[in-house]
Amino acid sequence: MKYIILVLTIFLSVGCNKLANAHDPEKIIDLASQLKDIAAAVDGTLKFSAQQYVTSQALLLAAINNDETKLEPFKGYELKIEIQDNHAILLLCEHDVVLIEDAGCTAQSDVQHWQSTANKACEVTLNASQICSF
């Protein structure tokens, strides 16, 4: 009986550990840093460009000066842009689960959802009017 409990404990420990470390922290932190830079560029383009962008993809490409190599680290992920009160918020998602959420108006990477134990849908949780007040 005690061996069954021991095996069950080991099984649960390994399973929980795998879930907690589903993403390589070094890789995700690097992506967060790059996403922060792109979010700032998108936010600046949105605020200071005289041109109106019909799609979020057009806005993104304008922000990175059509240099799609800047998007290569994000292959296999989904980048979403949401505009709130003339502020850009970018989401980095994988399989409809948000990993990182970043408002372009802030200097830091805002929310590291990938560190959470619960998966969250690929939807914005930030309120730009609260965090982008200058």
Side-chain angles (χ1 to χ4, degrees), residues 10-20:
I10 291 171
F11 177 75
L12 290 174
S13 296
V14 170
C16 292
N17 188 31
K18 182 169 175 45
L19 179 63

Side-chain angles (χ1 to χ4, degrees), residues 68-119:
E68 293 189 26
T69 62
K70 292 181 179 179
L71 300 177
E72 285 178 7
F74 303 103
K75 285 195 190 285
Y77 298 95
E78 181 182 3
L79 277 175
K80 284 188 175 181
I81 300 172
E82 181 171 311
I83 308 303
Q84 293 180 0
D85 300 324
N86 206 35
H87 301 288
I89 298 176
L90 271 69
L91 298 174
L92 180 67
C93 304
E94 182 180 51
H95 307 296
D96 291 325
V97 174
V98 64
L99 300 175
I100 304 166
E101 185 172 6
D102 198 305
C105 65
T106 62
Q108 75 280 354
S109 182
D110 293 298
V111 184
Q112 304 296 314
H113 291 287
W114 66 275
Q115 294 175 331
S116 175
T117 55
N119 288 341

